């Protein structure tokens, strides 16, 4: 999905953020316990990503707020005034963060 104009979804988040980041994260969190049991440690979860995430400038010089930790990164990008005219690369970068953090949750007590 690639939006050319700002569009808020039904939950109030920008649609690409809602689809690529939030929905992916929530579904994966729900599937993770089942995968550990049913997959017997061999199940895999795939994420559809894009190399476009590599060109995202997340520096403060790019105007991104220092207060993300208190304001909320997802909420910030879901406001039209902060939408950079195409959030696809940023949503894919955030999806990479989701995948990395979920991988940490997938590690079993045996370290596998």
């Amino acid at each position: 999905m690639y939006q050319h104009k700002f569009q808020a979804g039904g939950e109030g988040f920008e649609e690409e953020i809602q689809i690529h980041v939030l929905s992916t994260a929530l579904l994966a969190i729900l599937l993770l316990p089942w995968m550990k049991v049913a997959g017997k440690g061999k199940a895999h979860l795939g994420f559809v990503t894009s190399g476009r995430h590599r060109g995202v400038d997340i520096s403060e010089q790019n105007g991104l707020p220092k207060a993300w930790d208190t304001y909320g990164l997802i909420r910030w990008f879901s406001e039209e005034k902060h939408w950079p005219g195409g959030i696809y690369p940023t949503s894919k970068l955030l999806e990479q963060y989701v995948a990395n953090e979920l991988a940490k949750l997938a590690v079993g007590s045996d370290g596998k």
Side-chain angles (χ1 to χ4, degrees):
M1 171 181 202
Y2 189 92
Q3 294 282 37
H4 296 283
K5 63 181 182 136
F6 180 85
Q7 181 70 40
E11 300 296 323
F13 298 100
E14 191 279 330
E15 277 191 346
E16 286 185 83
I17 296 288
Q18 187 168 318
I19 292 167
H20 298 156
V21 183
L22 298 173
S23 296
T24 299
L26 294 173
L27 179 60
I29 288 168
L30 289 173
L31 288 173
L32 197 56
W34 175 81
M35 290 175 63
K36 285 182 176 183
V37 173
K40 298 182 175 119
K42 296 181 178 158
H44 291 81
L45 185 61
F47 291 84
V48 178
T49 61
S50 166
R52 302 268 320 269
H53 76 279
R54 293 184 190 111
V56 177
D57 181 2
I58 58 172
S59 68
E60 290 177 22
Q61 292 81 13
N62 192 32
L64 301 180
K66 285 184 179 181
W68 275 356
D69 290 338
T70 55
Y71 188 88
L73 176 67
I74 301 295
R75 192 56 74 189
W76 194 81
F77 275 118
S78 291
E79 291 184 5
E80 188 169 5
K81 66 183 178 182
H82 297 137
W83 200 70
I87 201 153
Y88 181 83
T90 302
S91 72
K92 291 302 187 174
L93 175 63
L94 296 175
E95 185 181 12
Q96 290 285 332
Y97 291 137
V98 166
N100 290 342
E101 293 304 311
L102 283 166
K104 294 175 190 175
L105 294 175
V107 176
S109 58
D110 61 356
K112 295 182 180 179

